[in-house]
Amino acid sequence: MESKTIKKIGVLTSGGDAPGMNAAIRAVVRAGFYYNLEVYGIYRGYEGMINDDIRKMDSRSIAHVLERGGTFLKSARSQEFRTPEGRKKAYDNLRKHGIDALVVIGGDGSLTGAHLFYKEYGIPAVGLPGTIDNDLFGTDLTIGFDTACNTAIEAIDKIRDTATSHDRLFFIEVMGRDAGFIAINAGIGSAAAAILIPEKKMPVESLIERLKSREKAKKESNIVIVAEGGKSGGAAEIAEKVQKILPTYDIKVTILGHLQRGGAPSAFDRTLASKLGVSAVEGLLQGKYDVMVGVINNKVVFTPIKRAIVDDKKVDEEELRIAAILST
Ligand code: F6P
């Protein structure tokens, strides 16, 4: 599709919130003003587009948001936008406000929505990878991942104190849906005895062997990190299996859950979000549509949204190797 003249852009956050989303919105709004565009905030993701919850942003709208977790535009996982009728309503509302282009901040579901919308209605969109899961192809890291890993590690350190005091084995479940990125990073950063992820199955027998050899090495505490949705089951399920085989072990389970989604974004996430927010606006003005903007080897890169959502982002085998060496 040929380049359009863009005067008004809409920005929205969609799907699971991630620390750094506010920094990304701020960067989009500020870059928009810098390039003399009107910027509209669309509330609750695609829901706000359908229900016309769209408000013009001014410089006050983005005051003191950079350092805050969550998303002040709010977020939702819109079911209605998955239907042609929902998307038609959304399109009519964008027309009503004269919005020519979109910046969509979210994970794969949100970017899928932007791609479909572009295909059906030709609304130029640039996606920003905003998810703690880090599971998007086309960027080394997603906005929110670094903060979520820091939060997880801080929590695991605290659990380590009590685990050591009682000589306990803890199974700690971290988020990541179908991806083991948080688990690997938090596991390496917290000296985990083992890391169980959806991408690689670890038989219970191997886990037992690992725990026994650590017992021989007189390790005082054992933390096993389990990514939710792992092939071997969730933390509670695995803990139960292990308890049956090792009845004398004092085992506890902690699910970190949504704790990992909140909190002030790290310095890294603030910078990443700011860089990507400005690049998204510049991309739109250069006629880069239906793409996701990410960072690969420290360079800003635009990847077709279709690839970002379909291509598989692989876990780093080298990190897995390092984790295995360090946990013996
Ligand atoms: O995609 C981010 C994420 O936090 C996943 O890690 C997790 O599986 C999911 O969202 C939880 O979603 P919800 O907050 O809708 O329960």
Side-chain angles (χ1 to χ4, degrees):
M1 197 163 287
E2 70 193 47
S3 221
K4 298 183 174 189
T5 306
I6 292 173
K7 294 208 166 88
K8 295 186 185 183
I9 60 170
V11 56
L12 62 100
T13 48
S14 159
D17 61 341
M21 278 184 162
N22 281 327
I25 301 164
R26 169 184 177 267
V28 170
V29 175
R30 291 205 75 87
F33 293 163
Y34 181 83
Y35 289 108
N36 297 315
L37 304 174
E38 277 182 31
V39 186
Y40 289 78
I42 301 170
Y43 285 73
R44 295 181 178 78
Y46 294 112
E47 286 291 300
M49 230 193 258
I50 293 169
N51 302 321
D52 196 15
D53 197 355
I54 300 174
R55 303 174 215 170
K56 195 170 171 197
M57 301 272 111
D58 58 32
S59 56
R60 296 313 307 151
S61 323
I62 46 158
H64 303 298
V65 301
L66 169 75
E67 65 277 23
R68 279 168 42 201
T71 160
F72 82 91
L73 286 181
K74 299 183 179 283
S75 193
R77 300 188 196 275
S78 175
Q79 291 309 318
E80 204 179 345
F81 195 74
R82 292 172 190 263
T83 66
E85 297 76 23
R87 293 195 291 276
K88 170 77 173 64
K89 277 193 215 165
Y91 176 71
D92 290 343
N93 284 326
L94 289 191
R95 289 291 92 207
K96 194 171 100 184
H97 292 278
I99 295 172
D100 314 299
L102 293 172
V103 176
V104 174
I105 308 165
D108 53 359
S110 315
L111 299 189
T112 304
H115 174 64
L116 254 181
F117 207 49
Y118 177 71
K119 274 202 341 201
E120 285 177 0
Y121 292 104
I123 297 286
V126 171
L128 254 73
T131 166
I132 63 164
D133 296 344
N134 196 32
D135 58 348
L136 283 167
F137 180 87
T139 190
D140 289 340
L141 296 163
T142 56
I143 298 164
F145 173 68
D146 181 66
T147 308
C149 289
N150 284 321
T151 303
I153 286 174
E154 198 184 323
I156 298 164
D157 283 350
K158 290 180 176 154
I159 294 170
R160 168 85 64 191
D161 291 344
T162 172
T164 310
S165 305
H166 288 267
D167 295 320
R168 279 177 168 157
L169 163 59
F170 267 83
F171 285 86
I172 303 179
E173 187 172 300
V174 297
M175 272 188 168
R177 209 188 316 249
D178 307 316
F181 295 100
I182 298 178
I184 296 171
N185 195 288
I188 292 176
S190 64
I195 303 168
L196 307 187
I197 56 169
E199 295 88 343
K200 303 257 170 196
K201 200 168 162 59
M202 182 184 217
V204 181
E205 298 71 39
S206 316
L207 178 59
I208 300 288
E209 218 174 278
R210 174 91 51 92
L211 293 171
K212 286 203 165 146
S213 87
R214 287 174 62 92
E215 194 182 345
K216 268 197 210 121
K218 305 226 177 314
K219 301 272 183 194
E220 285 189 319
S221 60
N222 281 302
I223 304 277
V224 176
I225 304 296
V226 185
E228 60 167 349
K231 284 202 181 72
S232 339
E237 206 179 322
I238 296 164
E240 208 181 311
K241 283 186 197 155
V242 171
Q243 186 76 85
K244 279 198 183 120
I245 304 170
L246 302 172
T248 59
Y249 274 49
D250 190 357
I251 297 179
K252 297 281 175 187
V253 175
T254 302
I255 296 171
L256 296 185
H258 288 81
L259 177 88
Q260 296 157 98
R261 287 242 294 262
S266 64
F268 181 88
D269 276 330
R270 293 180 197 201
T271 312
L272 177 68
S274 302
K275 211 190 270 188
L276 295 183
V278 172
S279 303
V281 173
E282 291 178 339
L284 278 175
L285 294 176
Q286 291 157 10
K288 294 188 175 109
Y289 306 155
D290 199 20
V291 291
M292 184 194 83
V293 58
V295 166
I296 299 176
N297 293 333
N298 235 2
K299 293 254 175 325
V300 170
V301 175
F302 291 86
T303 303
I305 290 185
K306 203 160 176 218
R307 283 202 71 192
I309 54 184
V310 171
D311 285 16
D312 222 13
K313 182 169 183 179
K314 301 260 185 288
V315 290
D316 186 344
E317 293 292 333
E318 184 56 10
E319 282 184 358
L320 290 177
R321 193 181 70 81
I322 286 164
I325 290 175
L326 294 175
S327 60
T328 47

